[in-house]
Amino acid sequence: RTDVDWWRDAVFYQVYIRSFADGNGDGVGDLAGIRARLPHLSALGVDALWITPFYPSPMADHGYDVADPRDVEPVFGDLAKFDALLAEAHALGIRVTVDLVPNHSSHRHEWFEAALAAGPGSPERARYLFRDGRGPDGAEPPNNWPSVFGGPAWTRVPDGQWYLHIFAPEQPDLDFTDPEVLADLETTMRFWLDRGVDGFRIDVAHGMAKPEGLPDMLPMEDTGLLDDHGPGDHRFDDDGVHDVHRRVRRVLDEYPGTMAVGEVWVSDDDRLARYLRPDELQLAFNFRLLTADWDVDELRDAVVHSLATVAGTPAPACWVLSNHDRPRHVTRYGGGEVGTRRARAAALLQLALPGAAYLYNGDELGMPDVDLPDEVLQDPIWERSGHTERGRDACRIPVPWSGTEPPYGFSSGAQTWLPMPAGWEPLTAAAQEEEAGSVLSLYRTALALRRTSPAFTGEALRWVPAPDGCLAFRRPGGLVCLVNLSGAPVPLPEGRVLLASADTTGGVVPDDAAVWLHP
Ligand SMILES: O=C(CO[C@H]1O[C@H](CO)[C@@H](O)[C@H](O)[C@H]1O)[C@@H](O)[C@H](O)[C@H](O)CO
């Protein structure tokens, strides 16, 4: 790989900053904490980090409500701490990408406060989507769009107008038909690129453009992809969004070796492929693997669709099993021993596939979700859904580093922003460090092989014959990966075993296990 297209088969590591490592004992993760744990990331063998938002924010959506996209929220540190982290990561050969949240700002952003003060028809309001309501006295929302977090996507302000927020009311959507909005996004990109970041993860990359006239949505369809409700969902995937991504790409092209990955919840392969055209994004998450259960057909489908999506584009596929918005795959696969066994196999599947791969902090430790009591839930979805949906806190528990009890070295303080359960000593990085058969050891070996072995070369994939209930494919470099979901052991295929997620002595691949072979 060159310094220009390093990202094509890179292993990225998502750092959910609140939950990764706390450097000052206040129970919330921060930039100094990440810096202190760089040796762990270097030993793990990741190529790049994605750090979730650490910008000034009233934290209505834990940072995805950005009040100033060109500074650091004090609870996470400051610009000097960011620069120090960046320099040290680069010294270790680890690139750093940061989150870009263009679709909306915080309601505490100076722009939104100016919009409220300036009133209807003002240029300040033109940066957002303010509209008059429907019905008598405009007392009804301008259209029927729901918020992703529950409730209507509109909130009324004292002078009677309504403003749009696809997510929480504290996250007013920006209007990208206003040239100032696009120009400000470019200024934010240059601010971080000039500091030396290697790229961006673009939040809600299928948002940012709304159809003319903001027509009512048609009934939601089940597209098979969780957050995509089909062509009738006018909130997302409007054609105008591609003008924004072309602008993003033009800026990135001025900084050779930088890249952007889009969070694009679009189920239609052809429509998703449009985000990956030569003058748009380098990567887009293939979310089907993130939403698939431990089922041979669902997993095969996820791989087939994802490869079909990128086939006609210059982009490689981009695989992710877990992130800060979805139940962790250990839990999705059943939890406990079974969930961990399957998660070990899924790790070998993800890391054998051609293209880039994203790990979510804690994947390398086999972290599960934690069922939290109501009183500690903090995700806006819990409130906005009227306590009918528990939100995403369960997959955001702080990472256990060492020790035998909470906070397991995550913080020197007693209280963590989300509680950590008892009994997690075996899950800690320190405990797994010592254990040859641990999930951590498996990830380290897998990433080392992926980086050094010629078996992983080539971006093509060919399915090879396998027993029923199994997935098996071959890479041009010679790697063969078999994943057994059949419910019973199957014969070990021909070839030299490079790595297995479970014991294959006796010439069998156990159920819920995967193996890498090189003839
Ligand atoms: O649509 C999104 C966008 O998520 C991005 O945007 C959201 C708003 O910025 C933010 O809350 C998420 O953390 C960020 O990843 C979903 O992930 C959705 O929030 C989630 O699945 C709830 O059902």
Side-chain angles (χ1 to χ4, degrees):
R1 283 282 164 250
T2 68
D3 276 348
V4 171
D5 62 0
W6 57 271
W7 41 272
R8 297 192 70 82
D9 62 354
V11 176
F12 291 78
Y13 186 94
Q14 176 190 1
V15 173
Y16 187 72
I17 189 166
R18 294 182 69 83
S19 301
F20 186 67
D22 172 17
N24 63 0
D26 65 354
V28 177
D30 49 41
L31 294 167
I34 302 173
R35 188 171 168 209
R37 294 292 177 183
L38 283 174
H40 167 81
L41 298 168
S42 178
L44 178 59
V46 300
D47 302 296
L49 306 184
W50 152 31
I51 306 176
T52 57
F54 49 85
Y55 320 117
S57 165
M59 299 297 166
D61 186 18
H62 292 119
Y64 280 98
D65 48 320
V66 179
D68 178 353
R70 300 185 280 272
D71 201 349
V72 176
E73 169 67 33
V75 77
F76 298 131
D78 54 31
L79 285 168
K81 286 197 172 62
F82 177 78
D83 295 341
L85 166 62
L86 186 61
E88 203 157 314
H90 283 168
L92 289 166
I94 299 176
R95 290 181 165 93
V96 175
T97 65
V98 298
D99 228 305
L100 206 55
V101 187
N103 178 71
H104 43 266
S105 78
S106 162
H107 69 314
R108 289 277 177 273
H109 189 293
E110 62 181 4
W111 272 10
F112 192 70
E113 293 184 336
L116 290 180
S122 63
E124 287 80 1
R125 286 210 175 173
R127 298 178 183 133
Y128 293 92
L129 290 128
F130 279 84
R131 295 289 186 279
D132 296 332
R134 298 197 287 201
D137 313 326
E140 283 161 40
N143 68 20
N144 68 356
W145 295 9
S147 157
V148 169
F149 291 166
W154 295 92
T155 292
R156 198 169 197 193
V157 296
D159 57 46
Q161 277 209 314
W162 299 75
Y163 71 87
L164 178 71
H165 50 84
I166 299 293
F167 296 92
E170 296 89 348
Q171 294 166 299
D173 279 53
L174 288 156
D175 186 342
F176 276 78
T177 63
D178 182 327
E180 219 189 325
V181 171
L182 202 45
D184 190 70
L185 176 64
E186 186 170 327
T187 304
T188 296
M189 291 180 69
R190 293 182 187 285
F191 178 85
W192 295 107
L193 290 165
D194 290 342
R195 291 195 102 82
V197 303
D198 303 284
F200 301 97
R201 176 264 188 187
I202 302 183
D203 188 60
V204 194
H206 55 319
M208 279 101 84
K210 277 61 174 191
E212 188 68 37
L214 304 177
D216 277 339
M217 277 175 57
L218 303 176
M220 297 217 189
E221 286 170 34
D222 175 1
T223 63
L225 188 69
L226 259 160
D227 269 350
D228 176 358
H229 305 294
D233 186 345
H234 296 316
R235 298 171 300 175
F236 298 115
D237 196 31
D238 180 77
D239 294 348
V241 73
H242 297 288
D243 297 329
V244 178
H245 292 311
R246 280 188 277 271
R247 179 80 168 261
V248 165
R249 183 58 179 262
R250 280 201 298 277
V251 175
L252 291 170
D253 287 347
E254 292 174 30
Y255 298 81
T258 63
M259 53 70 69
V261 59
E263 180 205 24
V264 184
W265 284 91
V266 168
S267 61
D268 179 277
D269 297 348
D270 298 335
R271 293 196 66 85
L272 179 56
R274 293 156 41 119
Y275 291 80
L276 299 169
R277 289 179 288 204
D279 57 353
E280 297 194 40
L281 305 178
Q282 281 85 354
L283 293 174
F285 294 113
N286 296 101
F287 282 132
R288 290 174 182 273
L289 209 54
L290 176 83
T291 55
D293 292 327
W294 186 250
D295 172 273
V296 68
D297 297 325
E298 273 194 47
L299 292 174
R300 184 183 286 109
D301 211 42
V303 174
V304 167
H305 267 284
S306 304
L307 294 175
T309 296
V310 298
T313 78
C318 180
W319 310 101
V320 52
L321 286 170
S322 282
N323 70 13
H324 63 295
D325 286 331
R326 290 277 153 245
R328 286 180 177 273
H329 58 288
V330 168
T331 299
R332 281 198 327 269
Y333 297 162
E337 259 184 57
V338 171
T340 304
R341 199 168 59 228
R342 292 168 174 177
R344 293 170 63 95
L348 294 197
L349 167 62
Q350 179 192 23
L351 296 168
L353 289 164
Y358 275 74
L359 309 185
Y360 176 45
N361 57 208
D363 283 359
E364 79 277 22
L365 302 179
M367 277 180 75
D369 278 10
V370 172
D371 211 0
L372 296 164
D374 295 1
E375 58 277 13
V376 304
L377 294 178
Q378 300 179 34
D379 185 11
I381 291 175
W382 172 241
E383 287 308 326
R384 299 266 328 147
S385 68
H387 294 180
T388 58
E389 287 190 43
R390 303 184 68 73
R392 304 159 291 178
D393 293 325
C395 70
R396 298 172 174 184
I397 305 301
V399 171
W401 293 102
S402 58
T404 59
E405 57 193 21
Y408 302 102
F410 165 78
S411 171
S412 58
Q415 205 62 34
T416 54
W417 78 278
L418 281 175
M420 303 175 79
W424 264 14
E425 185 199 355
L427 219 55
T428 61
Q432 297 200 42
E433 186 96 40
E434 311 303 320
E435 202 204 318
S438 67
V439 176
L440 180 57
S441 307
L442 181 74
Y443 267 93
R444 284 186 176 166
T445 309
L447 268 66
L449 280 167
R450 187 184 151 109
R451 196 173 39 253
T452 56
S453 163
F456 289 82
T457 48
E459 285 188 3
L461 171 149
R462 184 164 58 75
W463 296 104
V464 296
D468 287 351
C470 293
L471 286 176
F473 57 85
R474 181 188 171 82
R475 297 276 303 277
L479 175 79
V480 170
C481 173
L482 178 138
V483 188
N484 180 8
L485 304 94
S486 69
V490 298
L492 188 63
E494 291 296 306
R496 181 168 57 85
V497 173
L498 287 180
L499 184 62
S501 67
D503 185 5
T504 59
T505 47
V508 295
V509 181
D511 183 30
D512 293 338
V515 62
W516 286 353
L517 304 118
H518 192 209

